[in-house]
Amino acid sequence: QKEVEQDPGPLSVPEGAIVSLNCTYSNSAFQYFMWYRQYSRKGPELLMYTYSSGNKEDGRFTAQVDKSSKYISLFIRDSQPSDSATYLCAMSLNSGYSTLTFGKGTMLLVSP
Amino acid sequence: EAQVTQNPRYLITVTGKKLTVTCSQNMNHEYMSWYRQDPGLGLRQIYYSMNVEVTDKGDVPEGYKVSRKEKRNFPLILESPSPNQTSLYFCASYPGAGGPGEQYFGPGTRLTVT
C-alpha cells in the first residue's frame, strides 16, 4: 500500500461546479496536511495548510482532515477555468523540518 | 520579489557528463530542498538542507550530490548522469517557522540525459 494515494484524474467539471479532491494515507503519524496547486510548466504553490483534524476555509477553498479515517479533502466552490491545474496533497510528521510526502496529484479541468 | 530561481530551465546532456543545476533564494530561508517529479511517481525529495553546511538525504538521493556553502544557494550536482535521471527537478525553500508545508518552489529544471 502506497503511503499517500491520490486519484490522478483528470477530473473535468463545468465552470461554477463544486469540486472535491481527496487523498488517503496509511501513516497515522502524519500531523500536517497541505494542498499544493501546480499549473503546467510551473512549480507547485501552497494553497492550504492544516494541522491535525478539522476544517480550514480560505475564500473558495476548504480543506478537511479526518485523521480517524486517514482521509483529507479539498473542496473548491464556484470553480473557475483558472482553477484548471494539478492539485497535490502533501503530508509531514511534525512542524520541524521533515520530509514532505506527496500524493501523485489530481489533474482538474474546469470548462467555461 | 520573493522567489526561488533555478538555472538552467532546460538541459539536454549525455550520459556521464557532469552537470550542476543551480538554485538560489532571496528570502533568507534556512531550509532548502531538491525534488524530482516523474509521471506516475509524483514529487520525491532528493536532498534537503537545514542550514549552511548541513544537508541530509531525502527519499531518492542515489546519483546526486548537494552542497550548501551559502544560505541562499543550494546547487544539485550530478557527477555522472544516467538516463534514469531524466526528470523535472524542483528546488524549494522554507523559512523554518510555520511548518514544513510553507515551501516555496522554483520554476523547475527539465533535464534530459541521453
Side-chain angles (χ1 to χ4, degrees):
Chain A
Q1 182 185 7
K2 300 248 188 278
E3 207 163 21
V4 179
E5 300 270 14
Q6 187 175 10
D7 188 323
L11 176 62
S12 295
V13 301
E15 183 175 357
I18 296 175
V19 175
S20 172
L21 303 165
N22 311 294
C23 286
T24 59
Y25 62 95
S26 58
N27 187 347
S28 58
F30 284 135
Q31 295 194 64
Y32 291 82
F33 304 91
M34 286 72 71
W35 286 96
Y36 281 80
R37 177 175 63 195
Q38 185 176 20
Y39 290 114
S40 181
R41 302 181 188 279
K42 301 283 189 184
E45 56 178 332
L46 182 66
L47 266 182
M48 303 283 286
Y49 170 47
T50 55
Y51 168 69
S52 195
S53 286
N55 293 0
K56 186 172 184 178
E57 189 173 319
D58 184 1
R60 297 185 294 113
F61 298 89
T62 299
Q64 284 187 353
V65 175
D66 182 349
K67 289 190 72 180
S68 63
S69 301
K70 300 194 189 83
Y71 188 88
I72 70 171
S73 301
L74 177 71
F75 298 96
I76 307 174
R77 290 182 297 281
D78 187 25
S79 56
Q80 302 295 309
S82 58
D83 294 327
S84 297
T86 296
Y87 290 79
L88 305 161
C89 63
M91 309 175 186
S92 69
L93 298 174
N94 54 50
S95 63
Y97 193 87
S98 64
T99 299
L100 281 181
T101 301
F102 283 87
K104 294 185 174 59
T106 299
M107 181 183 292
L108 171 66
L109 302 170
V110 182
S111 54
Chain B
E1 180 192 352
Q3 61 182 353
V4 178
T5 57
Q6 295 177 228
N7 282 291
R9 294 289 313 279
Y10 302 90
L11 179 60
I12 300 174
T13 189
V14 296
T15 299
K17 186 176 181 182
K18 181 179 178 179
L19 66 91
T20 299
V21 183
T22 64
C23 173
S24 183
Q25 51 97 359
N26 63 0
M27 295 168 278
N28 202 36
H29 288 170
E30 291 184 357
Y31 295 92
M32 298 183 74
S33 288
W34 275 103
Y35 295 86
R36 61 178 290 174
Q37 188 174 36
D38 302 288
L41 295 176
L43 268 168
R44 294 177 292 167
Q45 190 178 51
I46 303 170
Y47 268 96
Y48 65 94
S49 168
M50 291 161 282
N51 214 325
V52 175
E53 303 290 5
V54 182
T55 63
D56 205 350
K57 297 176 181 178
D59 296 322
V60 289
E62 295 78 20
Y64 303 95
K65 285 177 58 176
V66 292
S67 69
R68 186 98 180 270
K69 293 184 172 22
E70 304 168 282
K71 197 172 185 179
R72 63 182 291 127
N73 296 323
F74 190 43
L76 179 69
I77 303 156
L78 285 72
E79 295 263 355
S80 183
S82 62
N84 65 10
Q85 292 178 298
T86 292
S87 187
L88 179 58
Y89 290 86
F90 289 101
C91 179
S93 73
Y94 152 58
E102 299 282 351
Q103 294 201 42
Y104 295 81
F105 283 81
T109 294
R110 186 167 293 280
L111 172 66
T112 301
V113 183
T114 61

